Amino acid sequence: GVKYLESAVRASSEEAELAVSDVITEDTKKYMKCFEDKVNEIAQFTDSSIKDYNAVDNKLKDDLKTLDAVINSEKSAHDDATTKHRNNSANLREKIKTKS
């Protein structure tokens, strides 16, 4: 290819123009193929990243639901304990009043 191109260019012939055109066309095809490959790599990476982020997002949503359930359970237990303590205190006050 290159030797033929060099000799054709020296001859300044129509063949030289065709040879140069062919080389440019081949180089352009190689460049486009490489470009398309890179675009496909980026597309695959993007798709993979989106799937990974979706998986992490879903895990975080599940973790938040779990934390919310734990917090609600703790709040309920605290409210129950507070109510029980208030009732016990009220009962003790009543007993003290009735004994006095």
Side-chain angles (χ1 to χ4, degrees):
V2 174
K3 296 238 186 238
Y4 171 76
L5 180 60
E6 288 172 351
S7 64
V9 168
R10 279 191 217 110
S12 294
S13 66
E14 188 177 311
E15 287 181 31
E17 289 180 29
L18 289 173
V20 168
S21 178
D22 287 346
V23 169
I24 290 172
T25 300
E26 287 304 312
D27 284 352
T28 302
K29 285 179 185 176
K30 288 177 187 173
Y31 173 80
M32 289 303 294
K33 173 74 172 118
C34 183
F35 180 78
E36 289 170 1
D37 289 348
K38 290 294 178 189
V39 168
N40 288 334
E41 283 180 32
I42 291 170
Q44 289 173 353
F45 175 77
T46 302
D47 288 345
S48 174
S49 295
I50 289 170
K51 287 176 187 169
D52 290 347
Y53 283 118
N54 282 339
V56 169
D57 196 38
N58 289 337
K59 172 91 171 82
L60 287 173
K61 285 177 184 174
D62 289 344
D63 289 349
L64 287 174
K65 286 178 188 173
T66 301
L67 286 172
D68 192 48
V70 168
I71 289 171
N72 285 335
S73 174
E74 289 294 320
K75 183 181 181 311
S76 179
H78 174 74
D79 290 347
D80 289 348
T82 300
T83 300
K84 185 176 178 182
H85 175 73
R86 285 183 183 149
N87 289 341
N88 286 342
S89 294
N91 287 339
L92 285 173
R93 280 191 203 101
E94 283 301 315
K95 286 180 184 177
I96 291 171
K97 282 183 188 176
T98 56
K99 288 186 180 187
S100 298

